[in-house]
Amino acid sequence: MKKEHTFTPHHKKIAKCVLIIFIISLFTVGCSSGNKEPISSSDNPELKCESINDFSSDSKFWSWAYDNIPTVSFSEISSGKYDNSYVCIDAWIIGVVENNGWYEIPIVAEISPEEYSRMIYTPGIDNLSIPKYGEKILKDFERNEKIKFCIFVENGSYTLDHAIAVKNLGRDTSFDVDAFLKEENEQNEQKKKEQEALAQAAKDAITNPLMKEDLKTGTVYSGDKSQTLGSYGYISITKEILKSVTEEEFKEFAQEKVKDNPWYNWISIICEDGTGITFSGCDIYYPTYGKLDTDGSILEGYGDIIWDFENETYSYTSRQ
């Protein structure tokens, strides 16, 4: 059987081709726009931008930045390669706190390959710290979102608070902020335990009983308790231990804890029976032993401890 042939006019063929191309292009654009990264700045590290013109909107600035400003790492900044030019750097948001017109935004940044560190971005804290592009989006940042800064580099360093522009790149799962915070907290707890252990070891190594404890602080009031006149320092110790203190240990306490102490009106060694020694005015040369008030001041003097300037020794003279 002879196959039937259908004739299609030439102009209709052209129209049909144009329609197919148009449909394909629509489909292609629709697919790519869903995966396209937000316009930020170029990945070309060879770019160097030494000046920036004014732009009428954030979007126009970032469209221009995409072709003119490189996104670099923090380590590349410190190399000096980008001195006296603008660059972009990326970080992850921990959170946002608004403080009477300025923001405290803790971030996490990769300061070197596989090494991350916490930083604080405080836009609005002074006139120079308000970004020219992106100010309105600051309050909307959320944890795990990625932020891009445009900053000026000078002498291998930068001031993050003086970023000329910021951009929210959206939620980014390439870095887990929550995991970072958990690890940071564990490290801080470990450091705290180590510091406490070192402090305890140092305290255990002290043989002078007067030096084992830090000075505690109390408030000095007027006679009617209506006014605060200052503060006093004191340590608490048993009478038995005080009796065992040597002259050298007493001198060490006077020199290290008492002498010229600017914070206290007086410093006292207080025993459990209400007696003790008071260095009035933090004067180490004439402390007094006797019955003490609740604030460590002398109620009744029993004797004077006097410094011998010539022999550099203390002697005790009873008043009774």
Side-chain angles (χ1 to χ4, degrees):
M1 179 183 292
K2 185 177 180 181
K3 188 175 182 181
E4 188 175 298
H5 178 72
T6 304
F7 172 74
T8 303
H10 182 67
H11 68 279
K12 289 188 177 181
K13 287 183 178 180
I14 295 175
K16 188 176 181 180
C17 290
V18 171
L19 179 61
I20 292 172
I21 293 171
F22 178 70
I23 292 172
I24 292 173
S25 65
L26 282 177
F27 179 77
T28 304
V29 170
C31 291
S32 63
S33 63
N35 298 323
K36 187 175 181 181
E37 291 292 326
I39 292 178
S40 51
S41 66
S42 176
D43 292 329
N44 180 2
E46 299 306 318
L47 290 176
K48 191 162 187 179
C49 175
E50 297 181 348
S51 63
I52 295 177
N53 297 324
D54 289 331
F55 295 88
S56 59
S57 67
D58 296 351
S59 60
K60 288 184 178 180
F61 167 78
W62 287 111
S63 294
W64 177 85
Y66 184 77
D67 294 320
N68 293 275
I69 303 177
T71 292
V72 302
S73 66
F74 284 81
S75 57
E76 287 174 319
I77 290 176
S78 60
S79 71
K81 177 180 179 180
Y82 296 99
D83 279 355
N84 303 313
S85 68
Y86 290 91
V87 300
C88 288
I89 51 176
D90 294 338
W92 287 265
I93 297 291
I94 294 177
V96 178
V97 179
E98 187 171 1
N99 296 303
N100 298 321
W102 62 278
Y103 297 90
E104 183 175 331
I105 304 177
I107 61 174
V108 183
E110 188 176 16
I111 57 175
S112 62
E114 299 302 317
E115 182 182 359
Y116 296 86
S117 178
R118 175 195 286 259
M119 300 180 181
I120 300 293
Y121 175 45
T122 54
I125 199 169
D126 58 42
N127 291 334
L128 295 176
S129 64
I130 302 173
K132 190 172 184 178
Y133 306 104
E135 178 185 2
K136 294 180 180 179
I137 67 172
L138 294 173
K139 66 180 185 299
D140 299 324
F141 281 114
E142 296 181 356
R143 180 174 294 184
N144 283 308
E145 288 183 332
K146 202 170 189 179
I147 181 173
K148 186 176 287 289
F149 297 92
C150 180
I151 57 174
F152 187 75
V153 179
E154 190 172 10
N155 297 324
S157 63
Y158 59 92
T159 303
L160 195 63
D161 286 349
H162 295 173
I164 190 174
V166 294
K167 184 177 180 64
N168 189 341
L169 300 182
R171 189 171 181 82
D172 187 296
T173 58
S174 64
F175 179 79
D176 191 335
V177 173
D178 293 319
F180 169 85
L181 294 176
K182 181 181 179 181
E183 183 178 352
E184 181 186 57
N185 184 61
E186 291 173 350
Q187 290 175 348
N188 289 338
E189 286 297 319
Q190 182 61 31
K191 287 180 182 178
K192 182 180 178 181
K193 290 179 181 178
E194 292 173 356
Q195 290 171 351
E196 289 175 347
L198 288 173
Q200 186 61 48
K203 186 178 289 186
D204 293 342
I206 296 173
T207 58
N208 183 344
L210 300 179
M211 300 295 291
K212 279 186 174 291
E213 300 299 328
D214 293 330
L215 288 175
K216 298 180 179 66
T217 300
T219 303
V220 179
Y221 295 100
S222 59
D224 59 1
K225 307 290 185 181
S226 63
Q227 295 182 355
T228 300
L229 304 179
S231 59
Y232 65 95
Y234 68 96
I235 63 168
S236 298
I237 193 171
T238 67
K239 194 66 168 284
E240 183 179 357
I241 292 178
L242 181 59
K243 287 180 179 179
S244 70
V245 171
T246 66
E247 182 180 349
E248 288 302 316
E249 290 172 339
F250 187 77
K251 285 165 63 176
E252 181 184 13
F253 176 80
Q255 290 288 336
E256 298 296 329
K257 299 280 190 178
V258 181
K259 185 177 181 181
D260 299 327
N261 193 310
W263 308 112
Y264 300 120
N265 295 30
W266 63 80
I267 291 177
S268 300
I269 302 171
I270 302 176
C271 297
E272 78 282 2
D273 63 354
T275 63
I277 298 171
T278 297
F279 297 82
S280 298
C282 295
D283 180 0
I284 68 171
Y285 302 116
Y286 302 99
T288 302
Y289 169 71
K291 183 179 180 181
L292 304 183
D293 202 344
T294 54
D295 61 4
S297 60
I298 289 289
L299 278 179
E300 180 182 355
Y302 296 160
D304 300 303
I305 304 170
I306 302 173
W307 176 253
D308 185 332
F309 286 90
E310 183 177 349
N311 297 313
E312 296 187 344
T313 58
Y314 281 107
S315 62
Y316 175 72
T317 302
S318 175
R319 294 185 185 180
Q320 298 176 334

